[in-house]
Amino acid sequence: MLKQQNSPTREIINLDGLYHFKVDTDRRGLTEQWQRSRLETTLEMAVPASYNDVFANKAIRDHVGWVWYQQDIHVPRGWKDERIHIRLESATHEGRVFVNDALVAEHSGGYTPFSADITDHVEPGSTFRLSIAVNNELTQETIPPGTINVTAAGRREQRYLHDFYNYAGIHRSIWLYSTPAMRVEDITVVTGFEGPTGSVDYRVDVAGSTGREQILVKVLDALGEEVAAGEGAEGRLSIPNVNLWKPGQGYLYDLEVAVHENGQLVDVYRQPFGVRTVEIRGAQFLINSEPFYFTGFGMHEDHVTIGKGHSSALMVNDFQLLEWVGANSFRTSHYPYSEEVMDFADRHGIVVIDETAAVGMNAAFAGFFGEGGKKTYAEDFVNDATAASHRRAIQELVARDKNHPSVVLWSIANEPDISEAGARDYFLPLAALTRELDPTRPVGLVSELRGTPEANTVSDLFDVLMLNRYYGWYTQTGDLESAELVLEEELLKWQEKYAKPIIITEYGADTMSGLHSLYDQPWSEEYQAAFLDMYHRVFDRVDAVVGEHVWNFADFQTSKGIIRVDGNKKGAFTRDRRPKAAAHLLRRRWTGESGK
């Protein structure tokens, strides 16, 4: 799905701001059709933002179910002969969009966009009532999965097996935009190079085609100068003296697609892209045929007050901290991030491991989160309905992010059970689907401690080994000498058995900022630094390790429970982005003073 954009044939209006807001406490809104009239509420809620921490109301924070947003929207009178669309960049986890009384769009999955053509429901020059119902419920048919329990007091309670808070609401922007009836609907760009010449294979999908249109394409460099041109819905263009997109150097071109009919311009769209290649060669990860070593973090879209809501200012600050610490990459743990984040990474040469929201699919964690034991691949947990949602999540992720040069690796799940019977049958078709959708990028999933070289059943299906390991924290707690031995022993086994690149996608220790100790005491800043330093010594001794992503970039909020005090504290930065001692240690390593 192409993003909305202004062009000579298109216009966009941002619909962010304050909306009338109502919590559907009794789950009556859909049956009573609240979209048919003004919401009976005094509450207002900002878009984009999670609603959980905004109100001084525990019932709203803990609400499980639907909430409603409503606002009157004016349609420009100049759009009289245009198609009119509405687009939500996300609604977590389910959204239904109403224009006046009519349902125009519905979508499940909290982190990818959806849109609707609303031309037949609105009049240019007039106002319509926009109502959006958003549901935060996680079930065994959603990605991520979850369950809903009823407490002894009769309150509905959301349970899930992932370790970050289930923030909800409209987290990203809402757009109203116009297009011609015949329009560019999708563009796919695949790049390569040989010597100084770049290649651009492109495919254009046109909606409303009459069969008489002419499609003209050209490549514009960063200064807007034409460097290649062609004709047709698909083809290959050559760029002489190409500027490659590289880690740290986010050089972008535009593929400008213009649709003409009867000699007249009908539609034009510009798709940014970067020329670069990705390849796995033995145990090396290559970008532009050069070995690449990942340094950075697993991150979260998580900030005080706004939760997972997107903020451009906070995004820029996070990227500034990534630059300061010397990080060249991050993983979108554990869901697709805002499109603005991906665009920023493209422009600034930051490498991204792009992950679906398939997290918490591991029955072994049930005890950790206070639930009884169960099997993972079973009718009451990860089942056929879960797999169907997982397939859609992969399809939507690839469709959204396929043209981002920053994305070099698809991660289709985080810490699923890969040793239990049923894992291989579940992941074999998903790995194949991802490669079918995009043959140009490697595919992987992230494994937890129990998915050892001996016990896992799926690692041969993937191109890269992505490992989350916490020796010295969840096991060998406080004993870094023993942890160092078992960590190195396991990594050498992976290296010998698979001879594939290994990225340590999580390693870290919870740390209270300001807690100091003369000794390596768990929870102290000294222990976190010593923990990371030990892991780095091991990484430097294992040739197949091609990346290190610390867990986590910053402290983040989690669900309630005795295992967390105001969230996960493994951040190198605090939740308000103050550096711990670990951040300075990482900066010394990643800016070239030591390490690989």
Side-chain angles (χ1 to χ4, degrees):
M1 177 189 295
L2 295 179
K3 284 184 64 177
Q4 67 290 326
Q5 67 175 222
N6 280 313
S7 81
T9 59
R10 299 170 177 235
E11 292 182 340
I12 62 176
I13 298 175
N14 182 266
L15 302 184
D16 294 354
L18 290 175
Y19 281 68
H20 299 290
F21 182 78
K22 186 172 182 178
V23 179
D24 191 357
T25 305
D26 300 319
R27 290 177 286 162
R28 297 182 292 112
L30 293 173
T31 56
E32 293 182 356
Q33 298 184 315
W34 287 358
Q35 72 273 14
R36 291 182 174 272
S37 61
R38 178 64 64 90
L39 290 178
E40 296 179 1
T41 181
T42 60
L43 296 178
E44 295 182 72
M45 177 60 203
V47 172
S50 304
Y51 62 77
N52 306 83
D53 292 344
V54 171
F55 300 99
N57 187 317
K58 185 177 185 299
I60 295 178
R61 176 177 171 81
D62 295 341
H63 172 69
V64 179
W66 294 90
V67 298
W68 288 68
Y69 298 75
Q70 194 177 83
Q71 190 183 96
D72 290 336
I73 305 298
H74 182 75
V75 181
R77 63 181 180 179
W79 290 6
K80 185 174 183 298
D81 297 321
E82 303 297 306
R83 303 304 297 181
I84 301 169
H85 311 259
I86 191 165
R87 185 179 193 263
L88 280 74
E89 292 185 1
S90 72
T92 306
H93 295 278
E94 178 182 3
R96 298 189 188 183
V97 181
F98 301 88
V99 170
N100 296 320
D101 299 345
L103 174 67
V104 298
E106 52 188 323
H107 180 262
S108 293
Y111 303 100
T112 44
F114 60 105
S115 66
D117 185 324
I118 61 172
T119 310
D120 296 338
H121 300 278
V122 299
E123 289 290 334
S126 66
T127 298
F128 69 90
R129 184 175 59 255
L130 173 64
S131 304
I132 304 171
V134 180
N135 181 20
N136 69 348
E137 294 179 352
L138 298 173
T139 71
Q140 296 317 129
E141 297 186 10
T142 63
I143 295 293
T147 57
I148 298 172
N149 299 332
V150 178
T151 68
R155 181 173 59 86
R156 299 176 83 233
E157 181 181 59
Q158 181 74 69
R159 306 298 298 273
Y160 43 90
L161 302 184
H162 58 264
D163 193 30
F164 57 95
Y165 189 78
N166 188 38
Y167 279 114
I170 300 176
H171 292 146
R172 301 167 189 168
S173 290
I174 306 172
W175 301 89
L176 190 72
Y177 65 99
S178 68
T179 67
M182 185 191 299
R183 61 190 180 275
V184 178
E185 187 72 3
D186 194 23
I187 298 171
T188 303
V189 177
V190 176
T191 65
F193 66 93
E194 186 171 346
T197 303
S199 63
V200 183
D201 293 322
Y202 71 90
R203 188 182 71 247
V204 178
D205 297 330
V206 175
S209 171
T210 64
R212 299 187 300 273
E213 68 274 6
Q214 180 186 28
I215 299 174
L216 301 179
V217 297
K218 56 185 177 181
V219 175
L220 307 177
D221 66 15
L223 298 177
E225 299 294 326
E226 181 180 316
V227 295
E231 183 176 349
E234 57 183 310
R236 168 171 286 194
L237 304 176
S238 295
I239 304 175
N241 300 313
V242 66
N243 287 296
L244 297 181
W245 188 97
K246 301 177 182 179
Q249 300 178 38
Y251 192 95
L252 295 180
Y253 292 91
D254 280 328
L255 183 73
E256 183 178 275
V257 178
V259 180
H260 295 258
E261 187 175 37
N262 299 324
Q264 300 296 315
L265 176 66
V266 177
D267 190 25
V268 62
Y269 190 94
R270 284 190 177 184
Q271 175 62 57
F273 70 94
V275 178
R276 63 104 184 91
T277 60
V278 178
E279 179 187 358
I280 303 297
R281 188 182 302 161
Q284 289 185 317
F285 195 104
L286 306 178
I287 298 179
N288 299 335
S289 300
E290 297 180 359
F292 179 71
Y293 190 89
F294 295 78
T295 60
F297 303 91
M299 299 180 72
H300 266 300
E301 291 184 313
D302 177 279
H303 286 87
V304 174
T305 305
I306 64 172
K308 292 195 179 305
H310 176 74
S311 161
S312 293
L314 294 175
M315 175 191 72
V316 171
N317 180 242
D318 282 352
F319 274 92
Q320 283 290 300
L321 293 177
L322 288 175
E323 180 180 353
W324 174 85
V325 80
N328 62 23
S329 57
F330 64 88
R331 174 169 61 115
T332 70
S333 46
H334 302 296
Y335 39 82
Y337 288 1
S338 166
E339 290 169 281
E340 282 75 13
V341 172
M342 310 305 289
D343 291 341
F344 198 95
D346 287 345
R347 294 194 299 272
H348 293 271
I350 305 300
V351 172
V352 178
I353 299 174
D354 208 0
E355 189 163 273
T356 73
V359 59
M361 301 168 59
N362 195 324
F365 294 157
F368 187 76
F369 288 97
E371 294 194 7
K374 59 171 109 174
K375 288 188 176 297
T376 299
Y377 304 98
E379 282 302 311
D380 64 343
F381 194 12
V382 177
N383 54 32
D384 290 343
T386 317
S389 296
H390 201 161
R391 285 193 295 272
R392 287 193 298 273
I394 292 171
Q395 290 166 337
E396 292 182 5
L397 175 65
V398 174
R400 194 195 75 165
D401 290 349
K402 62 187 175 183
N403 293 324
H404 286 288
S406 59
V407 175
V408 301
L409 172 60
W410 303 115
S411 174
I412 66 171
N414 177 73
E415 294 191 345
D417 193 321
I418 59 172
S419 57
E420 183 183 308
R424 188 174 184 86
D425 289 342
Y426 183 86
F427 281 105
L428 177 63
L430 295 179
L433 170 65
T434 312
R435 289 195 178 90
E436 178 185 349
L437 294 170
D438 179 18
T440 71
R441 291 179 176 88
V443 180
L445 61 69
V446 176
S447 73
E448 45 91 9
L449 185 61
R450 296 181 318 114
T452 63
E454 300 84 7
N456 90 85
T457 64
V458 303
S459 291
D460 62 301
L461 303 176
F462 297 99
D463 304 301
V464 177
L465 303 172
M466 293 189 283
L467 311 178
N468 295 349
R469 293 299 183 263
Y470 291 96
Y471 298 115
W473 188 247
Y474 293 121
T475 66
Q476 294 87 30
T477 309
D479 182 2
L480 293 180
E481 292 180 351
S482 297
E484 184 168 357
L485 295 174
V486 295
L487 173 64
E488 183 169 7
E489 180 183 11
E490 185 190 351
L491 294 184
L492 290 173
K493 287 180 180 178
W494 283 107
Q495 178 175 268
E496 181 179 358
K497 183 172 183 178
Y498 289 102
K500 294 180 179 182
I502 300 171
I503 304 172
I504 310 302
T505 37
E506 292 183 23
Y507 64 108
D510 282 280
T511 304
M512 293 298 296
S513 178
L515 177 62
H516 295 286
S517 173
L518 291 173
Y519 315 104
D520 291 340
Q521 177 185 340
W523 290 92
S524 69
E525 292 197 40
E526 287 75 17
Y527 187 80
Q528 184 183 35
F531 178 103
L532 297 178
D533 198 38
M534 178 273 284
Y535 271 70
H536 298 155
R537 290 196 300 271
V538 175
F539 299 162
D540 292 345
R541 296 196 295 262
V542 180
D543 292 338
V545 172
V546 300
E548 53 194 58
H549 276 179
V550 173
W551 190 256
N552 190 283
F553 171 69
D555 297 343
F556 58 91
Q557 192 56 263
T558 61
S559 61
K560 66 182 181 180
I562 60 173
I563 63 169
R564 298 285 181 235
V565 180
D566 194 32
N568 191 302
K569 295 292 195 295
K570 293 188 181 68
F573 298 87
T574 62
R575 199 176 184 211
D576 61 353
R577 279 37 180 186
R578 296 174 186 268
K580 301 176 188 177
H584 293 280
L585 177 145
L586 293 169
R587 186 172 190 262
R588 290 191 295 272
R589 175 174 172 83
W590 292 345
T591 55
E593 293 185 15
S594 64
K596 289 187 178 179

